[in-house]
Amino acid sequence: MTERYSRQQLFQPVGNKGQQQIRSKHVLVVGAGALGSASAEALVRAGIGKLTLVDRDYVEWSNLQRQQLYTEQDAQNKLPKAVAAKNRLRQINTEVRIEALVMDAQPANLESIVQTADLIIDATDNFDIRFILNDLSHKYEVPWIYGSCVGSYGATYTVIPNVTPCLHCILKKVPVGGATCETAGIISPAVQIVAAYQITEAFKILVEDVEALRHTFLTFDVWNNQHAEFKTGKMKSDKCSSCGSTQTYPYLAYENQLKTEVLCGRETVQIRPSQRHLYNFDELEKRLKKQGKVDRNPYLLSCQLPEQRFVIFQDGRVFIHGTNDIQFARSLYYRLLG
C-alpha cells in the first residue's frame, strides 16, 4: 500500500483493488467552474488514471469566491479555466494524466472523448449541455452524474445507461428560465455539498461497487435546512428517445449554421462559427486596436469597446460581454470580424 493513497485504501469499499481500479480509469469532467473545480481536485487527489477537463470560459474575479482551483493571477491573466485548472492540478498530483480542452461542449467535440471515458461528471451551468451529455451517455453506454447548484440549493442524480431513468425521462424537455448564479447568487457550501455527492457516486462507479449507488434524485437547501430525495425507478419510459427502445438521441442533432446563445445568467452572448476557425491573433490585434484597448494571452484576445467587451478564442468562438441582445451581438460580430 503506497503512502500517498493509504488512508483511501484503508477504507474497506476501496481497498487495494479499488485503488488499482481508480488508477486505471478515465473521467471526463464537463465544465471547470465551481463544481468542476471541486470534482477535478478530488479525483486528482484520489489518483484517477486520466482526467479530461472541457470548458469554454476563462477565469474572472467573480469566480474566485467559490471556484477553488483559481487564483487572482489567473483572473488577471484571463486564463481559460481548463488551462488554469490543469496548471494547479499538476502541482497536486504529477501521476495523473490531465487533458485540458478549451472548447464548447458540443456533440462533435465530445463524442470521441466520451467513447474512451469510464464516467462523465456534469459540472455545467445549463440544461442544453446536460441533455447532450445525457444522449452521449446512452449512445456510448457511459455513466454520468448530474449536478447543479444556485443560491443555497443543490441537486444531483446518477444516470446508469440501461439501468436508471435518464434525465430526459425525468424532465421530459430542456427547462427554460429559472434562477442563476448571477440572479440569485450562490454560496460555496452549496457547491461543496453537490460535489461531495457527485464524487462519492463517482468513486462507487470507479471501484465498481454498483450496489452502493444511490438510486434517487437528491435535492437540498443548506441555508434553510431542507433535504429531499425521490425515487425515480418508475419514471423510466420505454418511449424515451434518449434511452427507450427506439433511441434517436435527439439532442445530438446538429444544424450546420452559426450558433448564437446567451450564456446562462450572464449579460454575455456567445457566437460559435459553424466551422472551426483559427484566427491570426497578430493581425487581429492590429485591426481591433483601432476599436479599443486590446489584451491577449496564448488562448484568447480581448478588446474593450466603449460599452461591450469582445473576447475571441483560438477556436473561433467569441464572447460579447455587455449585452443579451443576440441580433445586436451578431451585427457587432460581423462588423468587427466579418
Side-chain angles (χ1 to χ4, degrees):
M1 178 166 60
T2 62
E3 179 64 26
R4 178 167 203 146
Y5 308 112
S6 61
R7 302 306 186 269
Q8 186 165 280
Q9 289 171 257
L10 285 169
F11 181 62
Q12 190 274 329
V14 175
N16 293 336
K17 180 181 177 182
Q19 189 62 48
Q20 291 172 2
Q21 289 172 313
I22 291 171
R23 184 61 181 159
S24 69
K25 300 295 175 61
H26 173 203
V27 177
L28 167 62
V29 177
V30 183
L35 287 177
S37 292
S39 294
E41 181 170 338
L43 288 165
V44 166
R45 290 189 182 278
I48 191 67
K50 180 180 179 181
L51 175 72
T52 298
L53 276 171
V54 172
D55 193 277
R56 65 186 177 183
D57 211 344
Y58 59 92
V59 182
E60 299 183 271
W61 288 94
S62 62
N63 302 150
L64 302 182
Q65 164 254 348
R66 66 199 178 281
Q67 298 183 17
Q68 65 192 52
L69 290 178
Y70 308 124
T71 66
E72 292 183 352
Q73 193 66 51
D74 295 328
Q76 288 171 354
N77 294 338
K78 295 184 175 65
L79 270 187
K81 290 182 181 179
V83 174
K86 180 178 179 178
N87 291 344
R88 174 59 179 149
L89 293 170
R90 289 178 67 180
Q91 294 176 331
I92 292 172
N93 193 341
T94 57
E95 297 177 355
V96 177
R97 289 175 293 152
I98 302 172
E99 183 179 29
L101 300 173
V102 184
M103 66 183 193
D104 219 7
Q106 295 297 318
N109 295 335
L110 293 176
E111 288 215 39
S112 62
I113 307 170
V114 169
Q115 291 177 62
T116 67
D118 298 288
L119 173 66
I120 306 164
I121 293 183
D122 161 39
T124 67
D125 60 4
N126 69 84
F127 278 96
D128 292 299
I129 296 176
R130 290 174 180 133
F131 273 66
I132 289 172
L133 295 181
N134 187 68
D135 275 8
L136 287 172
S137 163
H138 288 84
K139 183 175 181 178
Y140 297 106
E141 298 187 352
V142 178
W144 77 284
I145 305 172
Y146 158 77
S148 65
C149 47
V150 65
S152 58
Y153 168 88
T156 181
Y157 177 62
T158 302
V159 179
I160 308 296
N162 304 316
V163 177
T164 67
C166 75
L167 194 68
H168 195 181
C169 289
I170 294 172
L171 298 182
K172 308 305 180 187
K173 61 182 180 178
V174 176
V176 178
T180 69
C181 295
E182 189 148 302
T183 59
I186 187 169
I187 56 173
S188 59
V191 174
Q192 297 301 324
I193 293 171
V194 172
Y197 277 115
Q198 285 186 295
I199 288 298
T200 303
E201 291 288 278
F203 285 161
K204 296 173 188 177
I205 292 170
L206 295 173
V207 303
E208 300 174 12
D209 187 3
V210 294
E211 295 299 319
L213 287 169
R214 187 194 70 251
H215 296 295
T216 61
F217 193 106
L218 181 149
T219 66
F220 66 84
D221 185 331
V222 66
W223 194 270
N224 293 302
N225 308 306
Q226 297 172 352
H227 179 282
E229 296 181 65
F230 63 85
K231 295 181 179 180
T232 61
K234 294 183 179 180
M235 302 179 76
K236 188 169 179 59
S237 171
D238 187 57
K239 297 180 180 180
C240 177
S241 55
S242 295
C243 74
S245 56
T246 305
Q247 299 176 6
T248 58
Y249 313 117
Y251 296 96
L252 301 186
Y254 180 82
E255 298 173 5
N256 190 28
Q257 60 183 11
L258 188 71
K259 300 292 183 177
T260 311
E261 63 179 316
V262 177
L263 297 190
C264 179
R266 299 167 64 181
E267 194 178 16
T268 300
V269 173
Q270 174 181 259
I271 295 179
R272 174 167 48 86
S274 58
Q275 296 181 347
R276 183 179 174 87
H277 183 91
L278 296 179
Y279 286 105
N280 182 318
F281 274 12
D282 292 333
E283 293 181 1
L284 199 56
E285 182 175 6
K286 291 178 183 178
R287 189 199 316 177
L288 292 179
K289 274 185 174 179
K290 300 175 183 177
Q291 306 293 332
K293 184 178 182 296
V294 173
D295 294 305
R296 61 181 283 192
N297 61 41
Y299 311 99
L300 58 86
L301 183 148
S302 172
C303 178
Q304 183 62 56
L305 305 175
E307 297 184 7
Q308 285 79 36
R309 181 155 52 91
F310 209 73
V311 179
I312 304 103
F313 293 83
Q314 277 286 9
D315 64 358
R317 289 179 302 111
V318 174
F319 284 1
I320 301 176
H321 297 287
T323 182
N324 286 331
D325 186 331
I326 288 179
Q327 290 302 115
F328 170 77
R330 287 168 68 102
S331 66
L332 185 62
Y333 171 86
Y334 286 121
R335 177 165 67 86
L336 295 180
L337 297 179

